Amino acid sequence: MVFLMELNTTLGLYHIPIEFYHACWEVANADLGNLFSKLQENKENKLDLGRLNYDVITLIPKVKE
């Protein structure tokens, strides 16, 4: 399905370009498959859905040296 999508478009809330999924499909496929499997099994609360909306931002200072 991912390879049928139009290039130069984005997928999801984070606006990740479809070309990323094409380039990293071997890794992304396994991770996304596991995520969707756990979402379907979530009847037993195996996946903390609150973590899907959680981010960590790290500020990196710029120095000239």
Side-chain angles (χ1 to χ4, degrees):
M1 189 87 176
V2 171
F3 292 98
L4 298 176
M5 294 182 71
E6 184 178 339
L7 296 178
N8 202 27
T9 58
T10 61
L11 184 62
L13 297 173
Y14 295 105
H15 303 290
I16 298 172
I18 197 67
E19 288 85 358
F20 167 80
Y21 292 101
H22 285 191
C24 302
W25 184 245
E26 289 183 27
V27 175
N29 181 30
D31 290 341
L32 290 173
N34 288 336
L35 173 66
F36 294 133
S37 293
K38 295 224 184 278
L39 283 171
Q40 286 181 331
E41 296 171 2
N42 200 37
K43 294 174 188 168
E44 298 144 14
N45 295 321
K46 291 182 179 182
L47 181 66
D48 181 11
L49 296 178
R51 299 285 297 166
L52 293 176
N53 292 322
Y54 179 80
D55 273 331
V56 174
I57 297 174
T58 304
L59 300 177
I60 302 173
K62 293 183 179 180
V63 293
K64 292 183 179 182
E65 298 174 2

